[in-house]
Amino acid sequence: MIIKDEVRVALETNQPVVALESTVIAHGLPRPQNLETAQRLENIVRAGGAVPATIAMLSGKVRVGLENSDLELLAYNDEVRKLSVRDLAIAVARGWHGATTVASTMSIAHPAGIKVFATGGIGGVHRGTLPDVSADLPELARTPMIVVCSGAKIVLDLPATREWLETNSVTVVGYECDEMPAFYSRASGLPIDVRCDSPDEVVEIYQAQRELGLSSALLVTVPVPREAEVESALLGKVLADSLERAEREKIAGRDVTPFLLARMAEHSEGATLRANIALLENNARVAAQIAGAVARASRA
Ligand code: PSU
Ligand code: MN
């Protein structure tokens, strides 16, 4: 594992650090918005007083904290693979370039000593007959980190995903909201476990989890900013279209999520893309504040 100097120093001196994933860059957003967003997320984390640690695999080496040239490679190189946890060892052995999902980012960030991670929407239980459950869920159940997101991606079976989190003891925080957000929408009708209105409230629960010896993550769910929310009639239409298309084209495995996100962006005149970018930026901002509160609390 190669930890960038800036990140290592921050961890050693107990300064706030926020982990960022790279699948969203390589496979979640189109060019050129992917690179622009990756850079902007790092800048937002910095502006919030924390050090960004974007995580990826480059030439078979696990990297924590990237240079701008690395972000460019992830955004524009066609050989970059989507790596979940099961793929990490293969990528090391074969010397691949790869982008890390929520699951694999957590599996690297936690042992590196990072406590806070920001993403867009987590993976979850997919719709459809074949049981397809993202490795993001079991990783959340076993990794004690604060994960800031806007709920699970709308393409998923959100009630089933919510039940999975409950069964597997992942505590769900609504950050300045009373229900679990649904990625491009602020509302899902699904419950949170607790509402928090400040970074300190989140950190109190995170610390209590550690005192209790629990190993699960604290999932902090933040709604997409109101002005970027996708209007529900449009969302219903593009979602139905893309799910039907994926089924007809027999899209499976790791390709399902990128296919659905790209198709929805195309058919909503970019509305879902704008929402995705807005929620990623907002989550990075909230994560930086929470990382600051974590660092203050552990210095106290
Ligand atoms: N959030 C986004 N866009 C994305 C993802 C999350 O706003 O592209 C990625 C994350 O890396 C997540 C992955 O881990 O999608 C889930 O993929 P799967 O369903 O194949 O586990
Ligand atoms: Mn899957």
Side-chain angles (χ1 to χ4, degrees):
M1 189 188 296
I2 302 173
I3 304 183
K4 190 180 172 183
D5 282 342
E6 183 193 19
V7 175
R8 191 206 324 274
V9 169
L11 290 169
E12 283 167 2
T13 57
N14 200 11
Q15 303 300 312
V17 176
V18 173
L20 299 165
E21 56 138 323
S22 46
T23 292
V24 65
I25 307 171
H27 309 280
L29 299 170
R31 300 166 184 164
Q33 289 91 342
N34 60 349
L35 178 60
E36 291 161 11
T37 304
Q39 293 166 334
R40 207 162 328 109
L41 295 181
E42 292 208 345
N43 291 338
I44 289 168
V45 169
R46 281 185 204 287
V51 173
T54 306
I55 290 177
M57 176 86 65
L58 295 171
S59 305
K61 297 271 187 299
V62 171
R63 300 273 303 273
V64 179
L66 301 179
E67 305 297 336
N68 194 55
S69 56
D70 301 324
L71 296 179
E72 286 171 1
L73 184 153
L74 288 166
Y76 282 95
N77 188 311
D78 292 325
E79 312 282 279
V80 175
R81 303 172 197 246
K82 175 177 166 183
L83 305 179
S84 195
V85 183
R86 69 184 187 280
D87 308 304
L88 290 174
I90 308 172
V92 168
R94 303 266 158 108
W96 288 347
H97 295 316
T100 51
T101 63
V102 168
S104 47
T105 301
M106 291 179 80
S107 79
I108 293 165
H110 176 64
I114 303 174
K115 294 173 181 157
V116 181
F117 167 32
T119 182
I122 58 166
V125 180
H126 279 269
R127 304 177 194 224
T129 41
L130 181 73
D132 178 354
V133 179
S134 174
D136 293 356
L137 293 181
E139 207 61 34
L140 285 163
R142 63 173 166 249
T143 312
M145 289 185 86
I146 299 173
V147 178
V148 181
C149 67
S150 297
K153 283 185 288 288
I154 188 79
V155 300
L156 300 163
D157 181 334
L158 296 187
T161 301
R162 179 68 189 94
E163 291 296 334
W164 198 102
L165 292 166
E166 183 176 311
T167 303
N168 291 278
S169 309
V170 178
T171 302
V172 178
V173 172
Y175 195 79
E176 297 177 336
C177 63
D178 295 301
E179 59 181 285
M180 205 170 157
F183 199 47
Y184 302 143
S185 314
R186 295 175 60 89
S188 65
L190 296 167
I192 52 169
D193 295 312
V194 63
R195 174 178 171 130
C196 289
D197 290 284
S198 71
D200 288 330
E201 280 187 282
V202 172
V203 174
E204 281 164 13
I205 297 172
Y206 168 76
Q207 287 194 314
Q209 281 185 314
R210 306 295 75 84
E211 281 160 23
L212 291 164
L214 298 169
S215 59
S216 45
L218 187 61
L219 192 67
V220 176
T221 64
V222 187
V224 59
R226 223 171 274 281
E227 62 280 5
E229 187 177 23
V230 180
E231 187 260 315
S232 68
L234 172 66
L235 183 55
K237 192 165 70 79
V238 295
L239 182 58
D241 160 83
S242 51
L243 289 168
E244 195 240 340
R245 222 354 127 102
E247 176 102 15
R248 190 137 41 96
E249 294 187 20
K250 304 212 176 347
I251 308 293
R254 75 181 81 244
D255 300 329
V256 175
T257 300
F259 176 90
L260 293 170
L261 295 180
R263 175 104 189 161
M264 285 193 292
E266 260 168 55
H267 290 251
S268 66
E269 281 156 16
T272 64
L273 178 58
R274 283 190 293 279
N276 204 342
I277 293 171
L279 66 87
L280 281 161
E281 293 178 355
N282 191 48
N283 295 346
R285 193 178 55 76
V286 172
Q289 293 169 358
I290 294 173
V294 170
R296 275 196 304 282
S298 48
R299 278 196 292 263

